[in-house]
Amino acid sequence: MRIRIVDAFTARPFTGNPAGVLLLDNAFPDDNRLQNIALEVNHAETAFAHRLPGDGEADWALRWFTPATEVNMCGHATLATAHVLYSTGAHEGPVRFATRSGVLIATPGEDGSITLDFPTAPLTPVELPEGVAEALGAEPLTAFDTGPNIGDLLLELADEKTVHALRPDLKALAAYSERGVIATARAENPDLGYDFVSRCFFPNVGIDEDPVTGSAHTALAPYWSERLGRTDLTGLQASPRSGRVRTGLRGGRTLLTGSAVTVIEGELLA
């Protein structure tokens, strides 16, 4: 079984968000095997995909596992999987993935980028939970629930510098949402090519800080589109590895565009 490590939402190796990708010949093996492989890969996500019969609503079945659990939605590992399908010739043109979050579509661009079509996260304003400011290490301006597919608490902070400087108490932060916390702020200088910044902390699924989170941008896109008055934006995820996600809000759907590069290819022996 071939296994690849792909850096997603970047065009340069060793940046963006790494994901393991395994294309399976047949149906998924048992969940314990999938989870053990994801733990061995030990990246934020490992994606497993297998081809479906050609007469259905989707072309490939796709599942995502962190080192600790299976998740409902993952943007960067979907981008990485589409990149592997295109770069190996396993699929051409738009690819439809059957997932826990419904059918997700990836479309290749002429410039080598890939655009994902994901459901837009429903944002519900909530009162700021007691103690979350202390756990995060900064006082949020607003707080929003992001719905069941993502399961995060979205917090806007005062400015970009505050987002960059965060050093949260991850153990304490785990108490405030199903998956984790998205911290965001408006870009200080949009001339640098991005409109907002974010960082994502997901201690409840075994990820202290996710390098670049496509799924989080299904919440960040509607949040910042309303405030900035534009449907097409670019987000910078300000993790140490960093990466950019181009977003396009299309009502109930959010388009996520980025590039990917394969950095390791090998064989799974176990």
Side-chain angles (χ1 to χ4, degrees):
M1 188 185 299
R2 304 301 295 174
I3 182 168
R4 297 167 177 87
I5 305 299
V6 177
D7 289 343
F9 290 115
T10 182
R12 297 183 295 111
F14 314 122
T15 59
N17 201 350
V21 178
L22 294 95
L23 303 184
L24 311 176
D25 293 331
N26 300 300
F28 298 114
D30 67 82
D31 289 1
N32 285 337
R33 177 162 170 75
L34 297 176
Q35 189 63 72
N36 283 334
I37 293 171
L39 179 59
E40 188 75 11
V41 173
N42 202 34
H43 284 313
E45 306 284 349
T46 297
F48 302 88
H50 69 80
R51 194 186 302 272
L52 294 171
D55 55 354
E57 65 176 3
D59 308 300
W60 290 76
L62 177 62
R63 296 172 70 180
W64 314 280
F65 286 77
T66 75
T69 189
E70 185 173 8
V71 297
N72 291 332
M73 179 186 290
C74 180
H76 86 278
T78 305
L79 182 71
T81 303
H83 167 78
V84 170
L85 292 177
Y86 298 141
S87 62
T88 62
H91 193 94
E92 295 183 358
V95 54
R96 301 167 300 168
F97 293 109
T99 77
R100 278 187 167 190
S101 298
V103 175
L104 307 177
I105 301 174
T107 303
E110 294 182 358
D111 60 353
S113 67
I114 297 171
T115 296
L116 307 177
D117 183 334
F118 272 40
T120 299
L123 298 180
T124 303
V126 296
E127 290 188 12
L128 190 66
E130 184 178 353
V132 73
E134 291 77 10
L136 185 63
E139 187 69 35
L141 304 177
T142 59
F144 284 79
D145 178 81
T146 59
N149 282 339
I150 301 179
D152 294 332
L153 182 67
L154 174 64
L155 302 174
E156 183 185 352
L157 304 186
D159 51 40
E160 181 175 343
K161 291 179 181 178
T162 302
V163 174
H164 282 279
L166 289 175
R167 299 294 183 270
D169 179 340
L170 294 168
K171 185 176 180 180
L173 207 61
Y176 295 101
S177 65
E178 180 181 347
R179 182 174 72 165
V181 168
I182 306 167
T184 187
R186 186 180 305 218
E188 292 184 4
N189 183 4
D191 291 339
L192 294 178
Y194 56 91
D195 302 288
F196 59 88
V197 298
S198 66
R199 289 176 67 189
C200 295
F201 307 99
F202 302 142
N204 288 333
V205 293
I207 305 167
D208 288 349
E209 179 170 5
D210 198 35
V212 191
T213 314
S215 60
H217 284 75
T218 66
L220 290 163
Y223 185 83
W224 286 111
S225 289
E226 180 179 348
R227 283 150 184 78
L228 299 178
R230 288 182 286 124
T231 57
D232 295 320
L233 302 169
T234 298
L236 170 70
Q237 194 150 332
S239 68
R241 289 179 63 102
S242 188
R244 299 192 184 198
V245 182
R246 302 201 308 270
T247 67
L249 189 63
R250 303 293 184 265
R253 309 294 295 183
T254 295
L255 305 181
L256 310 170
T257 300
S259 299
V261 56
T262 301
V263 293
I264 296 175
E265 183 175 350
E267 185 176 356
L268 182 67
L269 299 177

